[in-house]
Amino acid sequence: FQFTISIVILQVLLLFSAQQHYVRTAPVGYDRDSVLYVEASKEYERSMENFKWKDYIDPMMQTLKSNPLVSEVAWTGALLGQDMFTLNAINHGDRHIAFNLLEVSDNFLTTTGIDVTAGRNFHPGEKNVVIFNEAARKQLDLKLNDNIVFSGGVIGFVDNFHYKSFRKEITPMAFGVTENVGNKLVVRLNAPERVDEVIRFVNEQNQRISGGRCELAFYTPDRMFGSTYASEMKQLKLLLVGAIVSLLIPLIGVFGLVLFETRAKRKEIGVRKVFGATTRGILVMFNMQYLRTLAVCFVVAAPVAYTLYNEWIESFAYRTPMHWWLFGVAFLIVAIVVCLTVTIQSWRAA
């Protein structure tokens, strides 16, 4: 029972880790590793009379662009890769259509590295126009210059990209340039490895522009990943602890059992040695007893781990292929640890 639990937990841990690695490294359709998000507190806006958010955002963007470590700066109403977007439902001709709308600055697509596949990008200073993704183009049957949402209509389309987490399917969405201004800055870095220097610079300029009244939150690619998949990260940590504990418990049992068996079988070992048995042969005999038990446990554990993983992975719309060799790796880890324990404990007697 202990071996079976150990193998199940290890197999699930390896499968979960494979999905985590896939989510972290799979292409998302934009340059997420070169982008730093800066979120400004709305408390600053509420604390000042007759305040205009542009009075803060515009000078902050201009100041950041002067930094040689910064390539471009844009603003947005929501962070790419998270699941919080405004759902718009409107009438288009004789149809009722729904899509996610993200209000952005006119340079947002170039800042994040999203390419326009049809039509054109936003022009500087342009307002009340939208660019849809290909999912919207196909599912909602949209065309260039369709006059929907805003007076300027549809000016272009972009490739489908993961604007939400990998839990969600890519659905119709649009970028819109309006009179509104978002409270999140998108900073494209020339040297992503020097992001800490950029964060210090942003904090210094924030103190100067807002007088210390505006608080900032920074989201590096790693922090964005940790924020978006916080629950999955906690599950992996729990599984890791569970795997360690579930291995230690049966190892203690194996240690005691082998100690008992070697004492009980000292005469048998002696007789075998008299008739020509080698130390290696004696160790193989002891190890085979446990390997046969582990093989039976593996046959029971694999379907259990597969079922648990399948139930968990259902929450992801995009997932890594099932790597069957990971099941064998889990068995191999347990087998190596058990065999080392058995060998070390029975070698003296042999």
Side-chain angles (χ1 to χ4, degrees), residues 47-65:
S47 68
M48 299 184 65
E49 295 180 4
N50 302 319
F51 174 78
K52 291 183 179 178
W53 192 246
K54 285 189 68 174
D55 293 343
Y56 173 82
I57 290 292
D58 284 351
M60 177 61 83
M61 290 176 65
Q62 293 303 319
T63 301
L64 290 179
K65 288 178 183 178

Side-chain angles (χ1 to χ4, degrees), residues 265-312:
K265 294 183 177 181
R266 287 183 73 85
K267 290 183 179 180
E268 178 187 337
I269 294 171
V271 171
R272 288 179 180 273
K273 295 281 283 190
V274 167
F275 282 95
T278 62
T279 299
R280 180 181 178 182
I282 299 297
L283 295 178
V284 168
M285 178 189 72
F286 275 106
N287 278 294
M288 286 304 298
Q289 296 177 10
Y290 290 93
L291 286 176
R292 282 192 290 267
T293 303
L294 282 175
V296 174
C297 294
F298 175 79
V299 172
V300 175
V304 176
Y306 175 79
T307 302
L308 293 174
Y309 176 71
N310 255 357
E311 290 183 3
W312 177 78

Side-chain angles (χ1 to χ4, degrees), residues 18-260:
Q19 175 65 13
Q20 183 197 42
H21 180 265
Y22 169 75
V23 169
R24 187 184 287 274
T25 59
V28 291
Y30 58 92
D31 295 335
R32 64 176 172 182
D33 294 330
S34 301
V35 168
L36 169 69
Y37 289 103
V38 183
E39 186 172 20
S41 169
K42 282 291 187 180
E43 292 299 321
Y44 179 49
E45 179 177 352
R46 288 191 284 267
S47 68
M48 299 184 65
E49 295 180 4
N50 302 319
F51 174 78
K52 291 183 179 178
W53 192 246
K54 285 189 68 174
D55 293 343
Y56 173 82
I57 290 292
D58 284 351
M60 177 61 83
M61 290 176 65
Q62 293 303 319
T63 301
L64 290 179
K65 288 178 183 178
S66 68
N67 190 312
L69 296 177
V70 175
S71 172
E72 187 61 82
V73 184
W75 61 258
T76 176
L79 303 179
L80 294 181
Q82 297 191 337
D83 297 332
M84 295 177 289
F85 289 87
T86 303
L87 182 64
N88 279 256
I90 63 172
N91 292 319
H92 177 48
D94 58 349
R95 295 181 296 120
H96 191 69
I97 63 175
F99 56 91
N100 291 118
L101 177 65
L102 177 59
E103 293 181 291
V104 296
S105 59
D106 53 45
N107 63 336
F108 181 83
L109 298 185
T110 54
T111 302
T112 53
I114 299 175
D115 296 324
V116 176
T117 56
R120 62 174 177 83
N121 202 342
F122 301 114
H123 288 158
E126 190 173 28
K127 302 292 182 184
N128 298 323
V129 289
V130 288
I131 294 177
F132 280 91
N133 65 352
E134 288 293 338
R137 186 181 193 178
K138 294 177 181 178
Q139 296 177 32
L140 306 181
D141 192 26
L142 299 179
K143 299 177 178 61
L144 287 174
N145 302 317
D146 276 353
N147 190 14
I148 64 172
V149 189
F150 304 125
S151 57
V154 182
I155 63 169
F157 295 96
V158 298
D159 261 334
N160 291 329
F161 67 98
H162 292 278
Y163 66 96
K164 294 184 180 180
S165 71
F166 277 70
R167 302 187 198 96
K168 307 293 183 181
E169 291 186 3
I170 297 175
T171 55
M173 70 86 62
F175 297 105
V177 176
T178 69
E179 299 295 333
N180 298 325
V181 179
N183 70 320
K184 299 170 180 63
L185 293 176
V186 185
V187 183
R188 186 179 181 87
L189 306 174
N190 286 323
E193 69 277 4
R194 299 175 66 181
V195 64
D196 291 339
E197 296 178 44
V198 176
I199 290 175
R200 283 195 297 271
F201 178 78
V202 175
N203 275 323
E204 292 170 1
Q205 299 309 312
N206 174 58
Q207 288 290 324
R208 180 179 63 83
I209 295 172
S210 73
R213 287 172 291 185
C214 181
E215 294 184 2
L216 299 178
F218 297 92
Y219 295 91
T220 61
D222 286 341
R223 187 180 175 190
M224 278 289 293
F225 181 86
S227 173
T228 305
Y229 301 101
S231 62
E232 286 80 7
M233 296 289 283
K234 288 181 180 178
Q235 289 171 349
L236 276 176
K237 288 179 181 177
L238 289 172
L239 277 172
L240 181 59
V241 173
I244 294 172
V245 172
S246 69
L247 272 175
L248 285 176
I249 293 174
L251 284 182
I252 293 171
V254 168
F255 184 87
L257 192 58
V258 173
L259 181 63
F260 173 79

